[in-house]
Amino acid sequence: MSTTTEPAITLYGTPLSGHTHRVEAFLNILGLPYRYVEAGAELRRSESFLALNPFGQIPVLVDGDLVLPDSVAILVYLADRYDASGLWNPKAPGDAARVQRWLSIAAGDLRFGPALARILTLWGGAASLTDAQAVAGRVLSFMDGHLASRDWLAAERPTIADIACYAYVARAPEGRIPLDPYPAVRRWLERVEAIPALTPMPQSAIPQTA
């Protein structure tokens, strides 16, 4: 008689979260089975979720006894724990430093540029959309120049740096940030979306204000 075993990994997130998408995409790339729990606002305020992440933020990954919030930290963990090739988070000092640089950009300029502009456009908020769009323009211009002479952000092949930066760049137009001025970025997005098992970041079904 066969028995069904629950996956050891559980991912808490929401479908339109770029932070969640980073982790979900990488789990799929690595071919790891996992249980997905949609963590809407009500669940994130619950005692059970706050026990996992006192900040009430997504994503959260549970792998056996390990409870790990923060999408970038989760990418590093999954690469080091499950990628036998060692290519997704390389350990050579130069490569490792370049990956870390782009992880910092993902957590900084991309978060406060394209990601914030998208949030303000789709859901509103008190921050300045103009300021977020200005940050987005600077980081996208930098990325476009960087990618003009290379295929990937940090190495000669895709790494977790590309996964971390992908989602909010792909959906920058949802924050009224057109990608037409950035041809190298658009070609890079096509390469990322061609990575086997990666599912593109979903587009929002929320009507956008013109």
Side-chain angles (χ1 to χ4, degrees), residues 104-116 132 135-136 138-139:
S104 296
I105 290 172
D109 295 80
L110 287 178
R111 177 184 177 187
F112 294 106
L116 180 56
V135 173
R138 288 195 296 271
V139 70

Side-chain angles (χ1 to χ4, degrees), residues 7 9 26-34 78 82:
I9 296 174
F26 197 44
L27 285 166
N28 291 333
I29 289 168
L30 294 176
L32 295 173
Y34 63 96
L78 290 173
Y82 291 107

Side-chain angles (χ1 to χ4, degrees):
M1 183 176 66
S2 63
T3 58
T4 302
T5 304
E6 281 286 322
I9 296 174
T10 298
L11 173 63
Y12 293 83
T14 60
L16 293 181
S17 162
H19 286 65
T20 299
H21 182 270
R22 292 170 179 167
V23 178
E24 195 166 12
F26 197 44
L27 285 166
N28 291 333
I29 289 168
L30 294 176
L32 295 173
Y34 63 96
R35 183 172 69 99
Y36 178 80
V37 177
E38 186 162 344
E42 184 175 352
L43 177 60
R44 296 198 302 272
R45 290 191 294 266
S46 68
E47 289 186 11
S48 61
F49 187 85
L50 292 173
L52 300 175
N53 183 2
F55 294 108
Q57 298 170 340
I58 51 171
V60 174
L61 184 93
V62 179
D63 187 6
D65 294 332
L66 176 71
V67 178
L68 188 61
D70 187 277
S71 61
V72 169
I74 295 169
L75 290 180
V76 171
Y77 166 74
L78 290 173
D80 290 349
R81 173 71 176 83
Y82 291 107
D83 173 31
S85 74
L87 295 174
W88 284 100
N89 189 27
K91 299 307 178 189
D95 289 341
R98 283 186 286 270
V99 168
Q100 183 57 58
R101 180 195 189 197
W102 283 100
L103 295 180
S104 296
I105 290 172
D109 295 80
L110 287 178
R111 177 184 177 187
F112 294 106
L116 180 56
R118 176 175 175 265
I119 288 171
L120 294 172
T121 301
L122 296 179
W123 294 286
S128 167
L129 176 60
T130 301
D131 289 349
Q133 290 171 330
V135 173
R138 288 195 296 271
V139 70
L140 288 171
S141 293
F142 172 72
M143 289 183 71
D144 201 63
H146 180 77
L147 288 163
S149 59
R150 51 180 57 81
D151 288 340
W152 306 101
L153 292 175
E156 296 299 314
R157 53 159 291 124
T159 66
I160 57 173
D162 299 282
I163 304 304
C165 292
Y166 160 74
Y168 289 120
V169 174
R171 295 296 164 254
E174 294 184 353
R176 303 181 198 166
I177 301 163
L179 293 176
D180 292 347
Y182 312 110
V185 168
R186 287 187 279 111
R187 290 192 296 270
W188 168 75
L189 289 173
E190 292 175 356
R191 288 190 289 273
V192 173
E193 291 179 350
I195 294 172
L198 184 142
T199 301
M201 172 70 180
Q203 291 187 344
S204 172
I206 300 172
Q208 299 178 45
T209 304

